[in-house]
Amino acid sequence: MNKDTQKRIRITDTTLRDAHQSLWATRMRTDDILQIAETIDAAGYYSLECWGGATFDVCMRFLRENPWERLRQIKAVCKKTPLQMLLRGQNLLGYKHYPDDIVDRFVALACENGMDIFRVFDALNDPRNLEKAIASVKKYGGHAQGTISYTTSPVHTVENYVKLAKEQEAMGIDSLAIKDMAGILTPGAARELVGALVKALPEMPIQVHSHMTSGMAAAMYLAAVEAGAGCVDCAISTMSSFSSQPPCESMVTILESEGYDTGLDQEKLAKINAYFRELKATRQPASTAKVEPVDAGVLVHAIPGGMISNLRSQLAQQGALDRLPEVLAELPKTRADMGYPPLVTPTSQIVGVQSVLNVLAGKRYAMITDETKHYAAGYYGRTPAPIEKKLAKKLQGGLKPITCRPADLLKPGLAAAAREIPAKLVQAEEDILSYCLFPEVALGYFKWRAQPEDARDPIPADVEMQKTAAAASADGAQVSPDDAKFVAIGKAFAALMATCTGGSGVPPLQTDALQSGETPLLPGGASKIGETPLPPAEPKDAAPKGTPVLAPLNGTFYRSAGPGKPELAADGANVKAGDAVCIVEAMKLFNPIKATASGKITFIAKHGAAVAKGDTIAVIA
Ligand code: CO
């Protein structure tokens, strides 16, 4: 094909964000990036995805780095290629909705520090969760990329996706991404979807993002490009494939063989790849090295691989690993009941845990998590399909449903956050935003940073690498990135509920102790997720007569809903049937346990003790 008539297809490099988040538990460091940044900048990429997603949290929590400083340093070197980030709409980089003032200021500072392109998405594709972030990006001169979070269901039709794209066009987006986070978009479906989008929004540049999880992404990209997509996301080959993006070098060759021009320099790509191939030895955590190259199961059940490993570990904790096939069969039904949410954080965890409970409890929705209640009541946003009326009422568990944009219920939060941080720990306004997003993590980092260099604790990621090198076979106690996300959700809701009107009376999830590793509440000494070195429950024969209250799951027994919270019921108090009287924490959720009768309650289990399913934890007489 003549050079003049060749169509330019742009490639975004995800090596510095999604690729290492998918393959190395986000453990790439700023110094690692800076050593190769100049070559990457010169290679001819459309943009460099290098910030957002999990990088912000991991920078502070595991690498003891200031994420804002990372952005400035990359920008100082990469002067030619626009920088790109992933932004979870009203959730920014966290797991809850933030008030508008925080969203606005975060975006302003990101722009000021060098961010160019913001890919703004929402797990539920609720445009109301996108509008503020998109407006702020436009206001501060950034490129706002709208997003379709891709999934399949009876309501996720091409027509509905086009409608969603048009809603975002009306918000002023500069381009549109199709985000196929699970790697389930087939070439045929991509051709149809991109074709329809190009027809409905002829001026809108379309970019496609996928993962190689199921092995389809490179073929799908080609189909999308043929249908009119102008840009695709790739990672340098050594950082590609598995659950990461398709390999850049291969994609360039595929596209060029079809007469497209990518403008990328293969020699520079080879140099970049050599660099990361060498880096891999010191940066890839051992726990992530055993992944299968292709997870063909995704093609059958469309459940992302990471989600299945979470389900497996939740079932293992309950001594019910043999029930995985039942859970896999239950999950699509629970998802359908809940209005077909795309399975991406945080909805993947909500649907996953609820499905596990539906199987273990022996009766569907006999136990409903607080997350499910909030989801069904509209606190995450609008569900893609409405939940059937009677079921919705049950799932809401007494929570008052909302129909407004969830963030409309939030009071401005920036000034209050600024007052909460000890002034001596704050070096710049950006620290306040870091604190708004990840309060405990940011404070931990600020305190570490405030120490003289020789008095600082070792960097957690270094300790972790030494540990995994020493005991590569040990597992179980390792917290996967998904687990960390999951724990954060609980905290998010406690915070959301604290600022919302019309509270539920349901004790909010309290996972601060789990998240920070501190254990103000846990006399048994369970200090880390996955560890339960707790004393056994009291002998069962000591139980007085009366109606027993039984533990519904294996877990940890608590009298209160969190550190510093009052007991839900005093020992010997008169309780009413249906009152929440104590908590059994299982699968990182604080499940309120209801009184089985009215009368005087006597607790059998000790606060902080491990309980097994069916143990008598209290008696009501
Ligand atoms: Co991705």
Side-chain angles (χ1 to χ4, degrees):
M1 191 181 276
N2 184 300
K3 195 93 189 153
D4 299 333
T5 59
Q6 273 183 332
K7 191 182 170 200
R8 168 61 70 91
I9 297 299
R10 294 171 170 81
I11 291 184
T12 288
D13 175 54
T14 64
T15 306
L16 308 180
R17 204 287 297 176
D18 202 344
H20 74 105
Q21 183 174 324
S22 298
L23 301 178
W24 294 0
T26 332
R27 295 301 195 264
M28 199 181 286
R29 305 180 188 196
T30 300
D31 278 347
D32 301 336
I33 295 170
L34 294 178
Q35 286 178 52
I36 193 71
E38 209 181 317
T39 313
I40 294 178
D41 188 40
Y45 291 113
Y46 166 64
S47 65
L48 307 176
E49 195 200 36
C50 61
W51 215 58
T55 62
F56 202 93
D57 179 10
V58 172
C59 264
M60 295 189 289
R61 189 194 294 258
F62 294 108
L63 310 178
R64 297 297 192 216
E65 289 185 11
N66 177 358
W68 300 94
E69 185 57 29
R70 171 179 291 192
L71 174 57
R72 282 190 290 274
Q73 291 192 0
I74 296 174
K75 191 64 178 181
V77 181
C78 299
K79 298 194 171 85
K80 219 172 99 186
T81 320
L83 303 186
Q84 184 167 330
M85 77 171 293
L86 183 66
L87 192 74
R88 209 191 306 265
Q90 199 74 25
N91 296 357
L92 297 175
L93 306 174
Y95 312 102
K96 64 166 181 175
H97 294 306
Y98 293 97
D100 288 341
D101 65 329
I102 292 178
V103 172
D104 189 71
R105 206 55 208 140
F106 178 88
V107 171
L109 285 186
C111 284
E112 224 169 82
N113 283 289
M115 188 45 63
D116 301 293
I117 302 171
F118 295 74
R119 177 175 294 166
V120 185
F121 82 101
D122 177 60
L124 289 174
N125 285 320
D126 185 339
R128 304 170 307 167
N129 292 338
L130 301 171
E131 63 190 28
K132 179 62 195 175
I134 289 173
S136 295
V137 171
K138 298 306 296 170
K139 178 171 150 194
Y140 298 107
H143 172 122
Q145 181 169 79
T147 305
I148 290 170
S149 296
Y150 180 78
T151 188
T152 55
S153 88
V155 292
H156 289 92
T157 58
V158 169
E159 294 70 37
N160 281 341
Y161 281 134
V162 168
K163 183 170 162 266
L164 173 65
K166 285 197 155 174
E167 283 169 317
Q168 296 181 60
E169 184 187 40
M171 292 177 195
I173 56 168
D174 300 289
S175 62
L176 179 74
I178 300 170
K179 180 177 163 65
D180 173 28
M181 52 275 171
I184 55 172
L185 182 53
T186 62
R191 193 175 290 117
E192 200 190 338
L193 177 56
V194 173
L197 289 168
V198 167
K199 203 167 153 210
L201 300 88
E203 303 297 317
M204 186 65 68
I206 294 170
Q207 181 159 4
V208 186
H209 173 89
S210 186
H211 291 252
M212 282 293 271
T213 322
S214 74
M216 293 194 291
M220 184 273 282
Y221 278 0
L222 182 61
V225 162
E226 286 169 350
C231 189
V232 293
D233 285 9
C234 294
I236 203 74
S237 52
T238 209
M239 301 291 298
S240 76
S241 304
F242 299 92
S243 56
S244 174
Q245 277 67 58
C248 184
E249 299 94 311
S250 318
M251 207 63 227
V252 167
T253 307
I254 291 171
L255 289 169
E256 285 177 355
S257 79
E258 291 290 333
Y260 299 101
D261 166 33
T262 63
L264 277 163
D265 179 338
Q266 285 278 20
E267 257 177 59
K268 290 211 173 69
L269 295 182
K271 208 172 147 193
I272 296 165
N273 193 50
Y275 173 79
F276 285 108
R277 197 191 300 123
E278 205 176 307
L279 185 66
K280 195 174 180 169
T282 53
R283 290 291 181 258
Q284 181 175 32
S287 58
T288 66
K290 300 172 210 146
V291 185
E292 292 285 321
V294 169
D295 176 4
V298 174
L299 301 170
V300 182
H301 49 56
I303 301 169
M307 204 176 156
I308 293 180
S309 55
N310 276 354
L311 295 173
R312 193 171 277 134
S313 71
Q314 284 154 5
L315 286 169
Q317 265 177 40
Q318 294 301 318
L321 201 49
D322 57 315
R323 315 213 42 193
L324 184 64
E326 284 169 79
V327 172
L328 291 181
E330 169 62 24
L331 200 139
K333 292 181 205 155
T334 305
R335 176 173 174 252
D337 286 349
M338 292 170 79
Y340 299 105
L343 297 177
V344 60
T345 305
T347 43
S348 50
Q349 285 87 345
I350 300 172
V351 175
V353 174
Q354 190 59 55
S355 306
V356 169
L357 290 179
N358 283 355
V359 168
L360 293 187
K363 195 178 154 214
R364 306 184 75 219
Y365 308 113
M367 291 184 71
I368 298 168
T369 67
D370 275 1
E371 272 88 352
T372 298
K373 289 174 191 164
H374 285 97
Y375 170 88
Y379 286 89
Y380 283 91
R382 208 175 281 131
T383 59
I387 304 176
E388 187 274 319
K389 241 181 163 170
K390 234 174 110 190
L391 180 64
K393 209 162 163 55
K394 186 178 172 85
L395 295 185
Q396 287 155 5
L399 262 184
K400 198 169 155 247
I402 60 163
T403 52
C404 65
R405 185 182 73 120
D408 283 339
L409 301 171
L410 303 175
K411 292 187 228 108
L414 212 46
R419 282 194 299 273
E420 275 171 40
I421 324 175
K424 62 177 192 309
L425 293 177
V426 179
Q427 295 179 353
E429 188 194 358
E430 65 199 32
D431 291 338
I432 298 167
L433 272 308
S434 300
Y435 173 82
C436 288
L437 291 175
F438 302 102
E440 288 84 8
V441 173
L443 278 183
Y445 166 65
F446 297 158
K447 283 179 192 159
W448 179 91
R449 181 179 69 179
Q451 300 277 322
E453 255 179 67
D454 53 358
R456 288 172 183 166
D457 288 337
I459 293 169
D462 289 341
V463 177
E464 183 186 68
M465 280 310 274
Q466 284 158 5
K467 239 196 251 168
T468 45
S473 61
D475 56 355
Q478 193 92 14
V479 179
S480 76
D482 271 352
D483 287 344
K485 272 184 212 165
F486 192 76
V487 169
I489 294 168
K491 209 193 125 28
F493 270 93
L496 179 65
M497 286 318 293
T499 43
C500 283
T501 50
S504 61
V506 176
L509 276 168
Q510 240 316 343
T511 50
D512 297 35
L514 292 168
Q515 191 181 24
S516 62
E518 287 162 15
T519 56
L521 184 81
L522 312 181
S527 58
K528 287 195 191 77
I529 301 153
E531 265 181 22
T532 46
L534 293 160
E538 291 288 281
K540 284 171 205 151
D541 56 10
K545 284 203 170 8
T547 310
V549 181
L550 304 179
L553 296 158
N554 296 348
T556 309
F557 171 80
Y558 297 118
R559 297 277 303 278
S560 63
K565 297 267 166 69
E567 287 177 350
L568 290 166
D571 200 21
N574 275 311
V575 297
K576 268 209 326 264
D579 284 355
V581 289
C582 57
I583 300 285
V584 170
E585 183 265 311
M587 291 176 273
K588 301 172 196 91
L589 291 172
F590 277 48
N591 302 290
I593 307 301
K594 288 177 181 163
T596 43
S598 297
K600 188 181 153 198
I601 189 161
T602 307
F603 286 102
I604 308 295
K606 277 216 172 101
H607 180 74
V611 291
K613 183 176 175 181
D615 280 357
T616 301
I617 48 182
V619 170
I620 300 170

